[in-house]
Amino acid sequence: LKLQFLYLIGRVMLRRTLQAMAGVVEARIHSKLSEAFAPLAALEIRNESYMHNVPKGAETHFKVIVVTDKFDGVKLVARHRMVNECLAEELEGPVHALSITAKTPAQWDKNSVVDPSPSCRGGDGGAKKKAAEGA
């Protein structure tokens, strides 16, 4: 009973901490990308954590849309590496997943549609439940 109480208190404290910090990681991502890829034709940071099995207010899953002339002549994989390098600190810590759309202004002008992210396929405890059932 004492352990259950401590567990519940820990969860409440974690939730309150995450709520108090809401937007901190997103703001840091925005700041770093703005600085690294200026001038930007477009920049959007989407916190998609709510789509996953994480505590309310978490900042663990993001989609970033970066449109800059700095991508001219750069292959898509290299663009993604540039973004990943810029956000290396976040990817080592709070950010678990990062979806990247990296385009030049000309590409963005031709097609500014960004596909929606797929539904969460894990983290719901389903694998553990199936294993426990012997499936």
Side-chain angles (χ1 to χ4, degrees), residues 16-36:
R16 286 183 181 167
T17 300
L18 288 171
Q19 289 171 345
M21 293 176 54
V24 172
V25 176
E26 184 175 346
R28 199 164 62 221
I29 289 171
H30 190 279
S31 175
K32 285 186 172 186
L33 293 175
S34 294
E35 185 176 318

Side-chain angles (χ1 to χ4, degrees), residues 72-133:
D72 280 334
V74 179
K75 293 186 180 195
L76 184 60
V77 172
R79 295 175 188 184
H80 283 230
R81 285 186 183 136
M82 291 167 69
V83 172
N84 283 326
E85 287 171 11
C86 178
L87 301 177
E89 184 180 346
E90 289 71 24
L91 291 167
E92 288 177 14
V95 177
H96 168 75
L98 181 65
S99 171
I100 302 168
T101 298
K103 295 185 175 190
T104 65
Q107 291 170 324
W108 187 249
D109 289 342
K110 286 181 187 174
N111 182 9
S112 61
V113 175
V114 177
D115 293 329
S117 295
S119 299
C120 181
R121 298 181 55 101
D124 64 354
K128 290 180 186 175
K129 184 177 178 182
K130 287 179 185 176
E133 293 173 350

Side-chain angles (χ1 to χ4, degrees), residues 19-77:
Q19 289 171 345
M21 293 176 54
V24 172
V25 176
E26 184 175 346
R28 199 164 62 221
I29 289 171
H30 190 279
S31 175
K32 285 186 172 186
L33 293 175
S34 294
E35 185 176 318
F37 296 103
L40 288 157
L43 176 63
E44 185 176 344
I45 315 301
R46 297 180 186 172
N47 182 350
E48 296 185 334
S49 302
Y50 71 93
M51 297 168 61
H52 301 275
N53 189 23
V54 297
K56 186 176 180 180
E59 291 186 287
T60 55
H61 296 69
F62 286 92
K63 176 179 282 194
V64 297
I65 301 155
V66 184
V67 182
T68 179
D69 285 327
K70 290 191 175 186
F71 293 146
D72 280 334
V74 179
K75 293 186 180 195
L76 184 60
V77 172

